[in-house]
Amino acid sequence: MNTKVNQNQPSIQRAFASRFAMHMFFTILILFIMTYVGSRMFTHMDLNLYGYMVGTLVFLIGLFYRFLSWSERPPAKLMIKKGKKLIFRKKTVKTTTTDIGMQRFIWNRGIYRWFQHMMMGWGVIISCLVTFPLVFGWMYFTMDDNGVYTVVFMGLNLIKISADGFLAFLFYNSLNITAIMVITGASMAIYRRLKNMQARAEQTVIFDFMPLYMLLFVSISGLLLTVSNVFFHGFLQPELSLVHQFSVIVTLIYLPFGKLAHIPMRPLGIYVKNYREHYAKQSMKKCKVCSSEFVSTEQSNDVIDVLNQNAIQFKKEEGFHLAELCLPCRRNYRISKFSGVKTHLTKAKEANQDARG
């Protein structure tokens, strides 16, 4: 990853060894200020959560590294540049709700996979939204003598709730609920990967199964803490607490570098959706062979430009660029180069070329 700063960049960037170092510095600085303010000058910090705090910081460093490594690639750089201009489209809210919130793109692949992803994805996201504010002292609880909790967020008294009320029950058991969600989703994913023939042919133990086992370990060890406290009067609670903390920290450190990285990176899909929809309305590219409209003219031209940046030439003697062919014609063209038969000129449509998912 080339992140070194040159002399043409603003002076503030020259103070750092790389763009990655600059972004990481300001991220940690913002976290420090928010923690200082949220915990009321560090007076409401839980010493038992320091391990989680270290794991979270390493997670953020890894996530920044992963993002910057990806964003330096010419296709990603182009997508981000144009995506920023389109982020305030009216349809951005709808895209965020359907693609990120409801994950409709997975619904098209089947209800089973959709429910599995909803359980796992939202279980992890809600767990982070609950855990991170507690870890950094942005949120904590104080209790009055009358049995009423005060929820404090960023140093401000947010709301008062009864210790025996429904909201208090949700606060107490939010991580237990998300743990059950993750266990449900991860178990469904493991079952599918064991039974589905296509998944079995493509998967590997380390890349596909290990993240699921890690999520299960985190969730089950967290539930065991609750079981120990509620039913066994805290039996083995210190040992289980250490096991759970270790599992969470290892998972946080691993998350940016494995298959689970798509969870925090998924919002970038909004850029892609906006890009495709916006430029598709302007002009569509017709395939040079079958004349079907298969992609926006802007995207076809961008693909050609990016390939040229990398000195990759796909201009063919027939007078077209491979990026100007739809996928079926492109596959047929490649076959023609091996077979000697001009299969790319065949007008027959592939049986599954419009398959969803």
Side-chain angles (χ1 to χ4, degrees):
M1 178 180 62
N2 183 17
T3 59
K4 290 189 176 181
V5 180
N6 58 49
Q7 295 299 315
N8 296 325
Q9 291 177 326
S11 58
I12 189 171
Q13 295 188 22
R14 299 178 200 168
F16 299 91
S18 65
R19 194 157 63 94
F20 168 75
M22 182 188 70
H23 285 298
M24 203 64 248
F25 170 79
F26 284 110
T27 299
I28 294 178
L29 180 62
I30 292 171
L31 282 175
F32 177 83
I33 294 173
M34 290 177 66
T35 302
Y36 179 81
V37 173
S39 63
R40 293 179 176 174
M41 297 178 290
F42 305 116
T43 57
H44 289 276
M45 299 294 293
D46 190 342
L47 295 177
N48 293 320
L49 301 179
Y50 274 179
Y52 297 104
M53 183 184 295
V54 174
T56 303
L57 290 175
V58 176
F59 158 73
L60 291 174
I61 292 172
L63 185 62
F64 263 87
Y65 175 81
R66 181 76 182 269
F67 172 76
L68 290 175
S69 297
W70 170 79
S71 65
E72 286 297 311
R73 300 172 183 175
K77 189 178 294 185
L78 182 66
M79 185 67 66
I80 292 173
K81 179 182 178 181
K82 295 191 174 182
K84 287 179 180 178
K85 299 177 181 178
L86 303 173
I87 196 65
F88 294 108
R89 292 177 73 229
K90 292 181 179 179
K91 286 192 174 181
T92 297
V93 175
K94 180 181 178 181
T95 300
T96 303
T97 303
T98 56
D99 284 19
I100 307 301
M102 300 304 298
Q103 302 190 32
R104 286 296 300 273
F105 66 98
I106 299 178
W107 174 273
N108 295 333
R109 303 176 189 176
I111 297 177
Y112 184 93
R113 293 185 68 177
W114 174 81
F115 186 76
Q116 159 202 316
H117 278 82
M118 287 291 286
M119 288 292 101
M120 246 191 319
W122 278 109
V124 172
I125 292 171
I126 296 173
S127 296
C128 292
L129 292 177
V130 172
T131 303
F132 289 171
L134 293 174
V135 165
F136 289 105
W138 302 341
M139 183 173 69
Y140 55 89
F141 304 88
T142 60
M143 188 173 185
D144 301 330
D145 294 334
N146 58 358
V148 174
Y149 276 114
T150 300
V151 181
V152 183
F153 183 75
M154 296 305 296
L156 301 174
N157 295 338
L158 188 64
I159 188 175
K160 290 183 179 292
I161 58 175
S162 171
D164 299 324
F166 179 71
L167 279 178
F169 174 82
L170 289 180
F171 278 116
Y172 302 152
N173 295 283
S174 56
L175 292 178
N176 292 328
I177 295 170
T178 56
I180 294 173
M181 292 172 63
V182 172
I183 290 172
T184 301
S187 300
M188 291 176 67
I190 291 173
Y191 177 81
R192 176 182 168 273
R193 292 195 168 279
L194 291 174
K195 295 296 182 180
N196 185 275
M197 295 302 292
Q198 180 180 350
R200 289 173 61 181
E202 298 173 348
Q203 68 198 4
T204 61
V205 174
I206 298 298
F207 187 73
D208 294 289
F209 278 98
M210 189 177 74
L212 298 174
Y213 294 148
M214 294 175 74
L215 290 178
L216 282 176
F217 191 56
V218 168
S219 301
I220 293 173
S221 60
L223 284 178
L224 287 177
L225 276 171
T226 301
V227 172
S228 171
N229 289 326
V230 174
F231 298 104
F232 298 101
H233 307 289
F235 177 69
L236 293 179
Q237 197 274 341
E239 292 80 3
L240 287 173
S241 179
L242 286 176
V243 170
H244 179 65
Q245 184 171 158
F246 177 80
S247 67
V248 171
I249 293 171
V250 170
T251 303
L252 283 172
I253 295 173
Y254 165 79
L255 198 150
F257 304 103
K259 192 169 185 177
L260 296 177
H262 72 277
I263 297 177
M265 298 285 280
R266 180 61 201 172
L268 294 170
I270 298 173
Y271 281 8
V272 178
K273 189 75 174 287
N274 281 343
Y275 173 89
R276 289 178 176 174
E277 290 181 349
H278 176 75
Y279 291 111
K281 290 181 179 180
Q282 294 186 353
S283 174
M284 290 296 290
K285 185 76 173 181
K286 290 186 177 181
C287 175
K288 291 291 186 178
V289 174
C290 67
S291 298
S292 63
E293 296 181 342
F294 68 101
V295 74
S296 68
T297 304
E298 185 80 10
Q299 184 173 344
S300 178
N301 293 335
D302 285 343
V303 170
I304 295 174
D305 290 341
V306 168
L307 291 173
N308 289 335
Q309 290 178 35
N310 290 275
I312 301 175
Q313 300 295 331
F314 282 125
K315 186 77 174 179
K316 299 304 175 183
E317 60 272 12
E318 290 87 349
F320 55 75
H321 194 283
L322 276 185
E324 297 176 310
L325 301 185
C326 64
L327 288 178
C329 291
R330 199 179 305 167
R331 283 192 289 265
N332 288 335
Y333 179 81
R334 294 178 64 185
I335 293 173
S336 71
K337 290 303 177 183
F338 289 100
S339 65
V341 180
K342 295 185 177 182
T343 52
H344 63 291
L345 298 179
T346 303
K347 299 297 183 181
K349 184 178 179 180
E350 290 185 5
N352 66 336
Q353 74 179 58
D354 294 324
R356 303 174 69 185

